């Protein structure tokens, strides 16, 4: 017995030892996978080099190390990601679903290091391995899944949703090729393929088990079922499969990690063996090519019918996959389909996903057997719509016949929605045929068309603009009849941007300076920047502030030299206009000022003038000829000025190619002057104006978009205002605007335009800018010439202000200090409280 007892004790001790060893091993594994110390991160990188890359350190390439570090960081995201999903599902919380055709995310690695709060630890870990962290960060290929402000706003909102611990899923398209790479050749924009996936994407996880069928084309059969109900059966010409690719989106210093789910299109059957066997090799893979084209490229050129069809297919493809996915999540939680809107609040980011209204009705009616009234109740309690444009031509429409050829069932549903809605309208606005036609989902004309903004308005419970002025103008112009009909639906949600990327990541020196004075709480509560105001008059703080600005300008100057070969003076004023190239944004007005300064210097070489470096960046849509011509004008004027020894020590012109999130992060911190000069009443909001002001740039601008609110908060004395107001723009056009009269009246303006006309900036080739000049003199749709004189006078005030270094520093500090309103955190709180009705759900890590 004693021997038996002794054996039992020995076995227990042995077992305890094994358990302890096992526990230690688990701790080591956990440390390598989830630890946040420099030592744990170093081990994780080495493990990834060996187990994921199949290399040993001595032969690993720079890309191997980048991938290894990214996978190591992603492991730490996954722990938070799975915890977030589990907590959301277990708690049955209402989830925000953000539908956007664009997500201009920017590089992930550095942003995730900041949000995990392990930037310094990672620097140490890579240093111990003999590698520079910035060298790896610069290796990352940016996912160009957006065109501009719309896609970047979606990315900022995803960051804020996670930071505020709001359950959310972003849905979009995993474009194989993003927005084009821009090169400048002989001054012209040249587009090249943006193959952002060429080295792989360590941040996404393929979810092949999450796939949905999407029907396209064909016809609809109608029949009566056994219960005598009228039913529809869509017989498609083509069926596409959407496969999910998930990217974790981590909040700042929280455990919340939300999901960005992007859809890739594939063929349900990628290879036709019978065709191949019979020798028809092309047909064997034809279906695969057709289906994969849908998620191939961001915004295909829609000047052709085939391009229009492809773009409509893209929009429907991603909203169908997304809604099917949401319904699946809802039903797996044991909920009834009638209560879908209790589980999800779906935000339409502009009209690109507006077809979701009709698709939701199709799914509820045809797939889930709801009656019309019940389906419409669920639909109209699910969706909210954000409008992003005041340009009538930018309100999306689809040729009715083309739409029906792609989505025949949805055309039927839109007709039925329209019929029922107009029955209500006719009673309410008896006899007002203009209003009935305005509210109709179907536009009349030589060819009928579907008005997607109207579909979004009728199917949503909330409609919002993105700046105070924009929202008011929506009510007065493009959506005025909708506001008159449903005023309770309308609200304003001024855009915001995330300070994590646009200050902490892009301007670390300024971040450190601010945090030394007021602590770090401002990073999550941007309104606390207000505490900087008391230092605005402090000479020592002004000196430190402007030293940071100078160092950022020096860094940008080095990049400009490497990228363009233009040598610029960091002590000069950096006058910056970086945004999409468009006539209404009026880059050509900026160029006219540039030419005016050039002429003044040539006519009076001894005149006193503040040295300026004009920095432009932005992409023109491939089919937008006038925007491309504006780029050519910028580069042509720049070539002449930069090579003219009479002026090039005081004037320099740079067109920084391939504008992207990465390049924006380098440019914004270096800006002295922010050009926000769009025609009043044309810019919905703008977000570049916010990012530049946050980084201490002073704004010269019109009363347009968010400029109005920026001027209100920073103070009129810290904002350079010029130009016609929106009301004055309308009045001028109504009175019969004559741009030629402005040209004849102003000598400096006439000289500048005559020089462009006569080929002074184009090697005496008068044809180069003929179309641009004719457009300005004969039409000038965005009142460039009308605002020229006011703009030049205001720029003269800017130059005078820049001479007083102390005053400029004070204004710069106050611009940053008063930008708290423009955090995307504030925007998202307003959406949560006033539209989505959702609360934050703090996440505990699994095992805690």
């Amino acid at each position: 017995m004693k021997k038996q007892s002794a054996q039992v004790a020995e076995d227990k001790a042995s077992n305890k030892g094994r358990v302890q060893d096992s526990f230690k091993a688990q701790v080591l594994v956990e440390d390598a996978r989830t630890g946040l110390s420099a030592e744990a991160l170093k081990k994780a990188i080495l493990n990834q080099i060996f187990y994921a890359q199949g290399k040993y350190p001595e032969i690993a390439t720079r890309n191997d190390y980048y991938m290894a570090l990214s996978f190591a960081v992603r492991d730490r995201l996954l722990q938070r990601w799975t915890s977030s999903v589990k907590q959301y599902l277990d708690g049955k919380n209402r989830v925000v679903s953000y539908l956007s055709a664009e997500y201009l995310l920017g590089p992930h690695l550095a942003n995730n290091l900041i949000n995990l709060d392990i930037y310094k630890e990672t620097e140490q870990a890579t240093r111990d391995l003999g590698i520079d962290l910035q060298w790896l960060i610069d290796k990352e290929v940016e996912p160009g899944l957006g065109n501009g402000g719309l896609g970047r706003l979606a990315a900022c909102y995803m960051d804020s949703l996670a930071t505020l611990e709001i359950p959310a899923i972003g849905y979009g398209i995993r474009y194989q090729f993003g927005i084009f790479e821009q090169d400048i050749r002989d001054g012209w924009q040249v587009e090249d393929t943006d193959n952002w996936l060429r080295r792989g994407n360590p941040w996404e996880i393929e979810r092949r088990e999450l796939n949905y069928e999407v029907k396209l084309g064909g016809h609809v059969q109608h029949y009566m079922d056994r219960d005598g109900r009228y039913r529809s059966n869509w017989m498609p010409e083509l069926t596409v499969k959407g496969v999910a690719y998930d990217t974790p989106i981590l909040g700042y210093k929280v455990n919340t990690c939300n999901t960005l789910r992007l859809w890739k299109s594939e063929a349900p059957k990628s290879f036709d063996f019978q065709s191949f066997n019979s020798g028809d090799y092309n047909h064997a893979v034809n279906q695969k090519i057709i289906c994969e084209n849908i998620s191939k490229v961001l915004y295909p050129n829609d000047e052709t019918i085939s391009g229009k069809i492809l773009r409509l297919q893209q929009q429907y493809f991603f909203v169908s996959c997304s809604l099917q996915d949401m319904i699946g999540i809802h039903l797996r939680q044991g909920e009834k389909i009638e209560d879908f809107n209790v589980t999800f609040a779906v935000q339409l980011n502009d009209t690109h996903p507006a077809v979701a209204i009709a698709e939701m009705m199709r799914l509820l009616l045809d797939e889930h057997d709801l009656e019309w009234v019940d389906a419409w109740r669920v639909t109209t309690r699910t969706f909210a719509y954000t409008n992003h444009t005041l340009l009538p031509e930018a309100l999306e429409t689809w040729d009715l016949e083309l739409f029906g050829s792609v989505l025949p069932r949805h055309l039927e549903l839109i007709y039925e929605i329209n019929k029922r809605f107009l029955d209500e309208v006719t009673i309410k606005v008896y006899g007002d045929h203009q209003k009935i036609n305005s509210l109709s989902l179907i536009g009349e004309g030589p060819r009928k068309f579907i008005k997607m903004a109207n579909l979004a308005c009728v199917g949503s419970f909330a409609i919002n603009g993105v700046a105070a002025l924009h929202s008011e103008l929506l009510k007065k112009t493009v959506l005025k009849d909708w506001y008159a009909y449903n005023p309770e639906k309308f609200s304003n949600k001024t855009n915001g941007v995330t300070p994590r990327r646009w200050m902490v990541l892009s301007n670390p020196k300024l971040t450190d300076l601010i945090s030394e004075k007021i602590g770090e709480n401002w990073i999550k509560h941007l309104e606390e920047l207000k505490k900087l105001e008391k230092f605005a008059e402090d000479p020592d703080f002004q000196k430190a502030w402007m030293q940071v600005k100078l160092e950022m300008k020096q860094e940008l100057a080095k990049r400009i030299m490497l990228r363009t070969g233009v040598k610029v003076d960091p002590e000069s004023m950096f006058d910056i206009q970086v945004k999409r190239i468009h006539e209404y944004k009026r880059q050509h007005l900026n160029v006219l000022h540039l030419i005016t300064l050039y002429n003044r210097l040539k006519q009076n070489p001894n005149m006193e003038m503040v040295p300026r470096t004009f920095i432009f960046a932005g992409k023109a849509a491939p089919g937008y000829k006038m925007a491309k011509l504006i780029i050519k004008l910028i580069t042509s004027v720049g070539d002449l000025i930069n090579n003219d020894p009479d002026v090039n020590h005081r004037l320099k012109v740079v067109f920084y190619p391939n504008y992207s999130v990465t390049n924006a992060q380098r440019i914004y911190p270096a800006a002295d002057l922010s050009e926000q000069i769009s025609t009043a009443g044309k810019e919905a909001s703008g977000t570049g104006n916010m990012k530049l002001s946050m980084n201490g740039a002073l704004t010269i601008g019109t009363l347009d978009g968010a400029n109005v609110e920026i001027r209100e908060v920073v103070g009129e004395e810290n904002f350079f205002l010029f130009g016609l107001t929106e009301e004055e723009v309308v009045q001028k056009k109504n009175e019969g605007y004559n741009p030629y009269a402005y040209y004849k009246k102003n000598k400096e303006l006439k000289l500048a335009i005559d020089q462009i006309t006569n080929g002074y900036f184009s090697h005496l080739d008068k044809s180069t800018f003929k179309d641009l000049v004719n457009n300005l003199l004969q039409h000038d749709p965005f009142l460039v010439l009308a605002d020229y004189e006011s703009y030049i006078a205001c720029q003269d005030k800017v130059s005078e202000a820049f001479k007083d270094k102390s005053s400029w520093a004070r204004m710069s500090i106050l611009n940053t200090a008063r930008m708290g309103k423009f955090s995307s955190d504030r925007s998202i709180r307003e959406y949560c409280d006033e539209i989505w009705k959702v609360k934050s759900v703090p996440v505990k890590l699994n095992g805690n």
Side-chain angles (χ1 to χ4, degrees):
M1 288 293 291
K2 285 183 178 180
K3 284 185 178 181
Q4 266 188 323
S5 298
Q7 184 63 47
V8 169
E10 187 180 332
D11 289 344
K12 283 183 177 179
S14 176
N15 187 52
K16 183 179 179 182
R18 285 195 298 271
V19 169
Q20 287 176 334
D21 289 343
S22 176
F23 177 73
K24 288 177 182 176
Q26 287 175 5
V27 170
L28 288 174
V29 169
E30 181 186 21
D31 191 53
R33 290 288 191 180
T34 64
L36 302 179
S37 68
E39 188 60 30
L41 288 163
K42 185 169 71 172
K43 289 178 181 176
I45 295 167
L46 292 173
N47 283 349
Q48 293 289 349
I49 287 286
F50 186 80
Y51 292 108
Q53 305 299 105
K55 301 278 186 75
Y56 55 89
E58 288 78 6
I59 67 167
T61 66
R62 178 183 176 189
N63 191 62
D64 292 332
Y65 272 105
Y66 160 72
M67 295 292 281
L69 174 56
S70 298
F71 281 128
V73 173
R74 194 186 75 175
D75 284 346
R76 283 133 186 88
L77 301 186
L78 292 179
Q79 182 190 23
R80 290 155 178 78
W81 196 11
T82 55
S83 298
S84 299
V85 172
K86 187 175 188 303
Q87 191 151 333
Y88 295 164
L89 295 179
D90 289 349
K92 295 188 176 180
N93 301 282
R94 194 178 201 204
V95 177
V96 174
S97 172
Y98 202 78
L99 295 187
S100 180
E102 301 181 35
Y103 288 93
L104 199 55
L105 298 165
H108 291 279
L109 176 55
N111 196 67
N112 283 327
L113 295 179
I114 284 170
N115 284 359
L116 279 168
D117 196 24
I118 58 170
Y119 200 98
K120 290 180 180 177
E121 290 79 1
T122 308
E123 274 188 318
Q124 182 62 52
T126 53
R127 192 182 304 119
D128 289 348
L129 293 170
I131 299 166
D132 178 54
L133 175 59
Q134 190 60 49
W135 186 65
L136 297 182
I137 289 172
D138 290 343
K139 184 65 176 174
E140 183 168 359
V141 178
E142 177 180 328
L145 304 182
N147 183 50
L150 185 80
R152 186 50 233 173
L153 182 76
C156 283
Y157 280 2
M158 290 301 295
D159 174 275
S160 284
L161 282 162
T163 297
L164 295 175
E165 302 176 293
I166 305 297
I169 306 177
Y171 285 107
I173 300 177
R174 182 184 180 269
Y175 303 102
Q176 182 179 346
F177 302 108
I179 189 170
F180 59 87
E181 295 273 350
Q182 181 195 58
D183 195 11
I184 302 298
R185 299 178 196 166
D186 191 28
W188 294 96
Q189 171 179 291
V190 177
E191 301 91 24
D192 200 1
T193 304
D194 174 26
N195 187 9
W196 69 282
L197 289 167
R198 60 187 178 273
R199 297 194 191 106
N201 178 12
W203 302 104
E204 68 182 7
I205 293 179
E206 183 182 25
R207 306 283 197 194
R208 296 211 65 82
E209 75 282 4
L210 278 177
N211 63 84
Y212 300 97
E213 287 194 346
V214 177
K215 301 175 182 179
L216 295 166
H219 63 280
V220 183
Q221 294 178 338
H222 301 286
Y223 63 97
M224 303 294 290
D225 67 11
R226 295 176 182 176
D227 300 322
R229 294 177 58 191
Y230 182 79
R231 304 300 301 273
S232 299
N233 184 25
W234 183 5
M235 306 293 291
E237 178 184 1
L238 177 69
T239 300
V240 180
K241 181 171 72 174
V243 178
Y245 284 74
D246 287 355
T247 300
I249 305 295
L250 181 68
Y252 177 71
K253 291 188 179 182
V254 294
N255 292 325
T256 299
C257 192
N258 287 329
T259 301
L260 175 63
R261 181 160 289 168
L262 303 178
W263 302 102
K264 178 188 176 186
S265 61
E266 296 183 357
K269 183 180 177 183
S270 60
F271 185 75
D272 186 341
F273 185 78
Q274 295 299 327
S275 296
F276 184 84
N277 214 31
S278 63
D280 191 350
Y281 306 129
N282 289 332
H283 188 267
V285 295
N286 190 49
Q287 192 85 342
K288 172 181 168 66
I289 294 169
I290 292 171
C291 291
E292 289 183 356
N293 276 343
I294 292 175
S295 63
K296 186 71 74 176
V297 65
L298 171 69
Y299 291 162
N301 189 339
D302 62 356
E303 291 184 345
T304 64
I305 294 297
S306 59
K308 286 181 171 65
I309 290 173
L310 181 55
R311 188 175 288 202
L312 178 58
Q313 288 175 336
Q314 283 186 338
Q315 292 180 3
Y316 174 63
F317 164 75
F318 100 85
V319 300
S320 180
C321 288
S322 303
L323 288 173
Q324 290 183 68
D325 190 55
M326 284 182 262
I327 289 173
I329 292 170
H330 175 74
L331 296 179
R332 284 194 296 274
Q333 289 182 265
E335 303 293 342
K336 296 179 180 178
I337 190 66
E338 293 88 346
D339 296 326
F340 176 83
N341 56 284
V342 176
T343 301
F344 284 99
V346 181
Q347 190 71 32
L348 305 175
N349 192 28
D350 215 8
T351 53
H352 306 123
V355 71
I357 304 292
E359 172 64 359
M360 189 70 186
M361 288 298 290
R362 184 192 74 82
L363 291 167
L364 295 176
L365 293 169
D366 298 355
E367 306 293 334
H368 296 279
D369 298 333
L370 264 61
E371 298 290 345
W372 183 278
V373 172
D374 295 327
W376 189 241
R377 175 186 57 79
V378 172
T379 298
T380 53
R381 292 181 181 182
T382 294
F383 292 99
Y385 163 52
T386 299
N387 174 283
H388 284 278
T389 185
L390 287 165
L391 303 176
E393 64 271 20
L395 290 177
E396 193 169 41
T397 62
W398 289 105
D399 178 84
L400 190 140
E401 186 176 330
L402 182 150
F403 187 93
S405 70
V406 178
L407 303 172
R409 177 59 178 142
H410 298 77
L411 181 59
E412 293 181 348
L413 291 167
I414 288 171
Y415 265 119
E416 184 64 21
I417 292 169
N418 198 43
K419 172 181 172 296
R420 291 174 183 246
F421 174 60
L422 290 184
D423 285 347
E424 296 176 8
V425 171
T426 303
I427 294 170
K428 195 169 180 178
V429 300
Y430 172 74
D432 191 340
H433 297 294
Q434 181 278 326
K435 188 165 287 187
I436 294 171
N437 289 334
S438 172
L439 293 174
S440 174
L441 308 189
I442 310 297
E444 302 295 333
R447 293 182 66 86
K448 291 187 176 183
F449 56 92
I450 299 172
K451 296 181 275 189
M452 301 306 286
N454 285 18
L455 178 61
C457 287
V458 75
S460 297
F461 66 85
I463 302 164
N464 72 277
V466 291
L469 176 64
H470 171 239
S471 294
E472 287 305 307
L473 290 175
L474 279 181
K475 299 173 187 178
K476 296 177 183 177
T477 57
V478 292
L479 297 182
K480 67 177 181 178
D481 290 326
W482 284 100
Y483 177 65
Y485 192 79
N486 284 128
E488 70 283 355
K489 284 188 177 185
F490 282 75
S491 69
N492 174 60
K493 300 291 173 282
T494 297
N495 284 345
V497 301
T498 169
R500 271 75 64 181
R501 182 175 289 275
W502 298 113
M503 293 184 75
V504 180
L505 175 57
S506 62
N507 205 343
K509 293 178 181 178
L510 188 66
T511 298
D512 290 344
L513 179 62
I514 292 171
S515 298
E516 285 171 13
K517 286 292 184 182
I518 66 172
E520 296 183 351
N521 202 42
W522 63 272
I523 297 170
K524 287 182 73 172
H525 303 278
L526 201 64
E527 63 276 7
E528 292 200 11
L529 284 176
K530 198 84 170 169
K531 295 176 181 178
L532 286 175
E533 285 195 33
K534 62 186 177 185
F535 303 108
E537 305 281 357
D538 181 342
D540 290 336
F541 188 68
Q542 288 181 357
K543 184 178 179 181
W545 185 271
M546 296 310 292
Q547 180 61 32
V548 167
K549 177 66 72 175
L550 178 61
E551 289 174 12
M552 300 312 292
K553 291 167 70 175
Q554 289 168 340
E555 288 183 21
L556 181 59
K558 291 175 185 175
R559 291 186 181 277
I560 287 171
M561 185 65 187
L562 287 171
R563 192 68 179 85
T564 70
V566 178
K567 184 178 180 180
V568 302
D569 178 10
E571 298 282 354
S572 67
M573 181 199 300
F574 276 23
D575 182 334
I576 290 181
Q577 187 175 20
V578 290
K579 53 184 69 212
R580 185 164 49 95
I581 308 296
H582 198 290
E583 288 174 274
Y584 88 80
K585 295 179 185 289
R586 302 200 296 191
Q587 283 89 354
H588 43 343
L589 176 58
N590 194 347
V591 175
L592 288 173
H593 171 236
L594 173 57
I595 295 172
T596 299
L597 291 182
Y598 169 73
N599 287 331
R600 288 177 180 178
L601 280 173
K602 293 294 284 187
Q603 293 165 2
N604 183 8
N606 297 320
M607 71 174 284
E608 182 184 351
M609 196 194 84
V610 170
R612 288 205 197 203
T613 298
F614 289 81
I615 300 173
F616 297 86
K619 295 178 179 179
Y624 191 176
K625 294 179 182 177
M626 194 62 71
K628 287 186 165 183
L629 201 53
I630 289 172
I631 292 177
K632 175 62 175 174
L633 179 63
I634 294 167
T635 56
S636 296
V637 172
D639 286 343
L640 186 142
I641 288 176
N642 294 341
N643 290 292
D644 187 338
D646 292 342
V647 302
N648 63 13
H649 57 294
R650 288 186 283 180
L651 281 183
K652 282 289 174 71
V653 186
V654 175
F655 190 92
Y656 200 102
N658 203 38
Y659 187 54
S660 62
V661 174
T662 303
N663 288 329
Q665 289 173 199
R666 296 162 177 164
I667 294 172
Y668 289 141
D672 290 309
L673 185 68
S674 165
E675 298 270 357
Q676 307 299 329
I677 60 177
S678 53
T679 312
K682 299 302 180 184
E683 185 76 83
S685 169
T687 54
N689 46 8
M690 302 170 190
K691 297 162 194 167
L692 284 157
S693 201
M694 278 181 186
N695 282 278
L698 275 63
T699 304
I700 181 170
T702 54
L703 287 177
D704 196 30
N707 285 358
V708 177
E709 291 160 86
I710 290 175
R711 182 169 177 261
E712 287 173 357
V713 300
V714 304
E716 296 178 9
E717 69 280 8
N718 301 311
F719 185 105
F720 297 99
L721 177 66
F722 79 95
L724 300 167
T725 65
E726 181 271 332
E727 293 85 356
E728 289 168 340
V729 168
V730 172
Q731 183 180 350
K732 272 220 181 293
K733 289 196 170 184
N734 289 340
E735 291 172 350
Y737 171 56
N738 178 14
Y740 192 79
Y742 287 88
Y743 158 78
K744 292 291 289 183
K745 185 176 68 173
N746 190 296
K747 290 181 180 180
E748 288 190 315
L749 173 60
K750 185 176 186 302
L751 175 59
I753 289 182
D754 286 348
Q755 286 172 317
I756 297 171
T757 302
N758 294 327
Y760 188 81
F761 302 106
S762 51
H763 310 291
L764 301 183
D765 183 352
K766 296 181 180 181
S767 65
T768 303
F769 300 114
K770 181 180 177 181
D771 290 344
L772 189 150
V773 172
N774 286 345
N775 183 265
L776 283 176
L777 293 180
Q778 298 173 21
H779 307 290
D780 193 15
F782 300 106
L783 283 76
V784 172
L785 304 193
D787 271 348
Y788 169 84
E789 187 172 335
S790 174
Y791 180 56
I792 298 300
C794 191
Q795 287 283 16
D796 290 342
K797 292 178 183 176
V798 171
S799 294
E800 283 301 310
F802 194 73
K803 291 176 184 177
D804 187 337
K805 298 303 180 185
S806 176
S807 175
W808 188 275
R810 178 183 56 78
M811 291 191 289
S812 175
I813 293 165
L814 290 176
N815 262 266
T816 298
R818 295 172 178 174
M819 287 301 289
K821 173 180 179 177
F822 299 100
S823 169
S824 50
D825 297 348
R826 186 270 314 153
S827 303
I828 289 299
R829 284 191 196 100
E830 290 181 3
Y831 277 100
C832 289
D833 294 343
E834 300 169 24
I835 293 180
W836 302 327
K837 309 297 182 185
V838 296
K839 303 287 185 183
S840 64
V841 181
V843 172
K844 293 182 179 180
L845 294 185
N846 290 338
N848 282 14

